[in-house]
Amino acid sequence: MLTKDGIPSVEDLSAVTPPTKRLNQGPVAVIECFQEIPCNPCADACPSGAITMPGNISARPIFDEHKCNGCGICVTRCPGLAIFVVDFSYAANEAMLKIPYEFCPLPESGEEVQVLDRAGKTAGVARVIRVQQQANKTTVLWLAVPKDIALDVRNIRRKMGAMS
Amino acid sequence: MRETDIAVVGAGPAGLMAAAYAAEMGAKVLLIERSQALGGQLVKQTHKFFGSRQEYAGERGFEIARKLMDRIENQPNITIWKNATTLGYYPDGVMTVKKDEKFYTLKPRKIVMATGASEKTLAFPNNDLPGIYGAGAVQTLMNVYGVMPAKRVLMVGAGNIGVIVAYQLLQAGVEVAAIIEAAPKIGGYWVHASKIQRCGVPILTGHTIKQAHGTDRLEGVTVCRLDEKWAMIPGTDAYFEVDGLCLAVGLSPLTELLWQAGCKMEFVAELGGYVPWRNADLLTTHNNIYVAGDVAGVEEASAAMVEGKLAGLAAAFSLNYQTEKFAAEYHEAKNQLNALRAGPVSAKVCSGLCKVMLGEAI
């Protein structure tokens, strides 16, 4: 439960997950920002005007999934690391997932990694497609993830032996 | 005796902003900082800040510190004293300062107290074992000096400091066994807690520390559950084998100089302890003393920066310094504070501020 451990419920998540039709059309952001905190860099960051915060900066972001093209700029800018991008059009069995990542050493593209869910439990394995380093040091990892777990994966763990 | 328009005591986020804005108004500022570096706690903050662009949102704390330092270091109206501890304030308006082991007296026309806060601690058996730290010390070791504080740590406190420092420990390669929190809910932002959870670190609310174990150094900790009246529940003990225990159990304003100056003080639990009465310009009941940042009530660094801006502007204005920008900047600062405090996460701070707010401002 969010108030006890910061893990959103199924209901919390369904309220912020774009509908299946939109997910299947191509990359789109999932904004897991459930609390009214004074913060608006996502709205400033979005070049498409898909994220807005009318009124005061403590409002939760309002997201227009039709304006979003999944570019992922918000993923690196969100101070709470609470924004992810999913693309169910990536491949037949795999979705592409972009997650913010702030640990060293970074994985390499092509590397196979364990993927973790919101509670840090192992959810399966994925392949790193791209390691998109950013000036602000919040790297965006592009992962090819089995479709059935793509909406649950939120972190990676590098496999033993891959660690340099 | 040295004279100056405005003495700013403390060069953390509030003091740096106060010095910058007062100096840009034309006032001669003496910035007095106890440590050898400017920036206060900002220099240890490796996470991206919240707020809006005006408060450097999205930038990391240590980078914000650098920007603020750049802004003041070439400002001709500011004199910076590092390694300088303000020792006292006397009824004739004289401040005493120890700088580089020498004793100085000075007489500022106005003062902005931005002394910050100190960490609270917890009483439990063996709480003096090596390996038991406050969260500030852990951050200093890791983020300032690059020293690993322990191999496996238990964090006490799920407020923002607890969840943020737990994340920084993970980034430094330290294992975090768990975060325990006495309250039934986490106090920190949910997004910070989510970052911890997805790394597999459990957050145990309704838990407290019962005792630390070890002979020469910390070897383990016993925790137990609390009931709804915060009493330990027998038979719920759990043991964590850890060599580090990090206490992030709140902050308390550093108000000694305000007491000495005779400012009217009030105990306000929501603000972390005794805080001064102040008006909307952050002027205390002492006509020459302004406050800004955690000394005025423990809050986020973003709010401390804006309070510093407001107090610096108001203090310079009270000495008849004027610029064309003043009115706009003054109102902007007030609007920023209102915006930062508008949401439900600021309800506690706002209810505290109501208890120590005086009437008229500029």
Side-chain angles (χ1 to χ4, degrees), chain B residues 48 58 70 90 106 122 130 139 146 149 160 167 184 240 258 283 332:
Chain B
K48 292 181 286 191
D70 287 347
Y90 295 87
L106 60 112
L122 279 181
Q139 284 193 309
N160 270 336
Y167 183 71
F240 287 91
L258 299 172
L283 179 65
E332 180 185 65

Side-chain angles (χ1 to χ4, degrees), chain B residues 85-142:
Chain B
T85 307
T86 304
L87 302 170
Y89 180 79
Y90 295 87
D92 55 359
V94 172
M95 273 172 70
T96 53
V97 178
K98 185 190 83 169
K99 177 177 177 285
D100 299 327
E101 303 304 317
K102 288 195 188 113
F103 184 79
Y104 295 86
T105 56
L106 60 112
K107 194 160 188 179
R109 295 167 73 196
K110 301 284 173 184
I111 299 172
V112 178
M113 294 288 189
T115 45
S118 64
E119 286 183 274
K120 293 178 182 173
T121 187
L122 279 181
F124 53 86
N126 295 327
N127 73 352
D128 60 347
L129 281 172
I132 302 179
Y133 304 90
V138 165
Q139 284 193 309
T140 303
L141 283 173
M142 285 193 306

Side-chain angles (χ1 to χ4, degrees), chain A residues 44-161:
Chain A
D44 280 348
C46 182
S48 311
I51 309 174
T52 50
M53 210 170 289
N56 77 72
I57 60 166
S58 283
R60 287 174 57 194
I62 296 171
F63 179 58
D64 183 340
E65 70 237 18
H66 302 293
K67 289 185 182 166
C68 175
N69 63 6
C71 71
I73 293 175
C74 55
V75 174
T76 184
R77 293 281 293 278
C78 171
L81 308 190
I83 309 182
F84 309 85
V85 167
V86 284
D87 177 8
F88 275 78
S89 72
Y90 175 72
N93 299 318
E94 287 177 323
M96 196 270 288
L97 176 67
K98 296 183 194 176
I99 63 168
Y101 192 73
E102 295 185 334
F103 291 89
C104 283
L106 290 168
E108 287 165 19
S109 57
E111 186 176 323
E112 194 164 86
V113 292
Q114 286 185 335
V115 284
L116 311 178
D117 66 11
R118 293 180 183 82
K121 296 201 171 64
T122 305
V125 292
R127 196 173 68 258
V128 178
I129 305 169
R130 189 175 165 194
V131 179
Q132 193 179 11
Q133 293 191 50
Q134 305 285 342
N136 76 355
K137 302 282 169 71
T138 302
T139 297
V140 180
L141 297 183
W142 300 32
L143 307 169
V145 183
K147 274 189 177 167
D148 57 333
I149 56 170
L151 291 175
D152 300 323
V153 168
R154 289 298 177 261
N155 196 8
I156 65 153
R157 180 183 293 136
R158 298 185 71 196
K159 292 184 167 181
M160 287 301 178

